[in-house]
Amino acid sequence: MAENRLNKGWEPKIVAFCCNWCTYAGADLAGISRIQYPPSVRIVRVPCTGRINPFYIVKALQEGADGVLVSGCHPGECHYLTGNLSAKRKFAMLKNFLSYIGIEPDRTVFTWVSASEGERFARVVQGVTDAVKVLGPMDKLAKRI
C-alpha cells in the first residue's frame, strides 16, 4: 500500500451515485459549462438517492473503487418528497458500519447538489478526489482471486 501511495501516477477511482433529477443535471451543467473537475469520477445515474441500497456502496468498494460519492437533491427539493432524507439516514448508518470495520470515513461522502450547481458539483468531486488521494488506494475490501 505504501508503494502505491508513493506512485505519482496513481489516480483514485471515485464512484458517484447521482440523483437523476438534481446532481446528475448538475454534473451535466458542469460539463456543458466546461467546468473542469478530476476525471477520476465514474457517475452512476440513479432515479433517487433513496433507492440506493447500501450494499451498492460496499460492492463499489469491493470492485475497486477508492471512494464513493452519493449526491442527491437538497432537502425539500426531492422529486420523490423524502427520498433524499431516507438516503441520508441510510448513508449515516453505513458510514458508521464502514468505520467500525476499519474503512476510513473520508472514502465515502454524502452531499446535496442541485441541477443549477455545476460549479458546486465540480468542487465536491475535487474535494472527494483530494481526500481519497491522501488516503491512498482502497485495499481493505478489494476482492482478490
Side-chain angles (χ1 to χ4, degrees):
M1 186 163 139
E3 293 173 15
N4 290 335
R5 286 184 185 184
L6 297 175
N7 186 357
K8 302 237 185 254
W10 178 76
E11 286 293 325
K13 292 180 208 152
I14 310 293
V15 174
F17 293 99
C18 296
C19 160
N20 177 53
W21 303 102
C22 288
T23 304
Y24 188 82
D28 195 31
L29 178 63
I32 290 171
S33 303
R34 298 181 185 232
I35 299 170
Q36 297 293 314
Y37 60 87
S40 58
V41 66
R42 277 73 166 169
I43 296 176
V44 178
R45 187 178 186 175
V46 295
C48 177
T49 52
R51 300 296 300 165
I52 297 172
N53 186 325
F55 288 114
Y56 296 169
I57 297 169
V58 173
K59 187 72 172 175
L61 294 171
Q62 278 183 326
E63 295 294 328
D66 298 305
V68 175
L69 167 68
V70 176
S71 185
C73 305
H74 286 279
E77 297 178 3
C78 180
H79 195 74
Y80 301 101
L81 302 177
T82 59
N84 56 353
L85 301 177
S86 172
K88 179 73 174 171
R89 285 191 298 272
K90 286 192 281 186
F91 187 81
M93 291 175 59
L94 176 68
K95 197 160 182 161
N96 285 338
F97 171 73
L98 291 174
S99 180
Y100 178 76
I101 63 172
I103 306 300
E104 299 91 347
D106 288 344
R107 289 194 186 276
T108 53
V109 174
F110 186 93
T111 190
W112 322 107
V113 174
S114 76
S116 62
E117 295 177 321
E119 288 186 26
R120 175 170 161 68
F121 178 79
R123 282 195 315 270
V124 166
V125 170
Q126 183 69 55
V128 173
T129 301
D130 292 345
V132 172
K133 273 185 181 177
V134 169
L135 296 173
M138 173 70 181
D139 293 338
K140 293 181 182 167
L141 287 181
K143 283 184 173 178
R144 290 190 180 82
I145 297 177

